[in-house]
């Protein structure tokens, strides 16, 4: 009984088709808003589960990530050199990130995916409330060592499926650490109509 949208970058088969699989039952609506040409620097992969904190898949601990007060450590995941992503030459990866078994304060919780090596940026990729399972498509820049970190404000199991990677150098995409561009709650950035 939930309607949830998500942005997805999907590889197209040799015959030009895309398949949709539903675990459960649902109506599906798909809108196409663009495409990558061959040789553009985007390299599609068949969706592959990279890690899952519920089961320990990918060598991660079987434990929720984060703390209710936000003081928890980020989860570090090695991405380059695994699951079809080359050990060198990748600037960023496309992932579908999901949180499950969530616990949040009255203000809600969030997840930020960012290149490891510094403090988590003031931005979010997924926002959640307690008891919610929710996913979002994420373009995650890789650190110099090929890792992606996942910071959770609140508590949640985190899992991610990789769908592709972007090459370093001149491509259609320039990777950068997530940065909050605008926030009407605090007045940060350029806010139209104000």
């Amino acid at each position: 009984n939930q309607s949830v949208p998500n942005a997805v970058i999907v590889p197209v088969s040799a015959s030009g088709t895309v398949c949709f699989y539903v675990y459960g039952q649902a109506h599906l609506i798909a809108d196409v808003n663009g495409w990558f040409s061959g040789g553009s620097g985007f390299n599609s992969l068949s969706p592959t589960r990279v890690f899952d904190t519920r089961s320990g898949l990918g060598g991660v601990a079987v434990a929720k990530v984060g703390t209710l007060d936000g003081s928890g450590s980020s989860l570090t995941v090695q991405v380059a050199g695994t699951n079809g992503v080359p050990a060198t030459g990748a600037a960023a990866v496309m992932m579908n990130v999901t949180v499950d078994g969530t616990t949040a304060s009255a203000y809600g919780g969030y997840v930020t995916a960012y290149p490891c090596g510094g403090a988590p940026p003031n931005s979010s990729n997924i926002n959640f409330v307690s008891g919610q399972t929710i996913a979002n498509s994420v373009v995650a820049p890789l650190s110099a060592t090929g890792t992606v970190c996942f910071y959770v404000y609140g508590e949640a199991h985190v899992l991610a499926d990789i769908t592709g990677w972007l090459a370093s150098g001149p491509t259609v995409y320039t990777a950068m650490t997530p940065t909050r561009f605008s926030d009407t709650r605090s007045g940060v950035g350029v806010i139209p109509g104000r």
Side-chain angles (χ1 to χ4, degrees):
N1 293 324
Q2 189 177 24
S3 296
V4 179
N6 190 6
V8 179
I9 298 174
V10 181
V12 177
S13 74
S15 62
T17 61
V18 172
C19 288
F20 296 87
Y21 170 78
V22 176
Y23 183 83
Q25 292 182 330
H27 287 289
L28 292 173
I29 301 167
D31 302 320
V32 176
N33 61 10
W35 54 276
F36 287 98
S37 62
S40 66
F42 174 70
N43 301 275
S44 64
L45 299 169
S46 293
T48 304
R49 177 89 13 112
V50 177
F51 72 93
D52 187 338
T53 64
R54 300 172 303 180
S55 65
L57 177 73
V60 298
V62 179
K64 291 184 180 183
V65 180
T67 58
L68 283 177
D69 66 2
S71 65
S73 298
S74 296
L75 172 67
T76 300
V77 178
Q78 181 66 42
V79 177
T82 69
N83 299 294
V85 179
T88 60
V93 292
M94 312 304 202
M95 304 176 107
N96 195 56
V97 179
T98 304
V99 292
D100 185 30
T102 56
T103 305
S105 70
Y107 301 104
Y110 65 89
V111 178
T112 301
Y114 66 99
C116 300
N122 182 25
S123 64
S124 63
N125 296 106
I126 299 174
N127 297 286
F128 61 83
V129 296
S130 292
Q132 189 174 29
T133 299
I134 190 166
N136 197 15
S137 184
V138 174
V139 177
L142 299 179
S143 72
T145 58
T147 57
V148 175
C149 277
F150 295 84
Y151 169 77
V152 178
Y153 185 90
E155 297 175 349
H157 280 294
V158 183
L159 50 144
D161 304 319
I162 193 160
T163 59
W165 59 277
L166 291 160
S168 299
T171 65
V172 295
Y173 175 77
T174 300
M176 60 184 282
T177 299
T179 304
R180 175 81 23 107
F181 173 74
S182 178
D183 187 338
T184 60
R185 299 168 303 177
S186 64
V188 168
V190 179
I191 301 174
R194 287 202 167 185

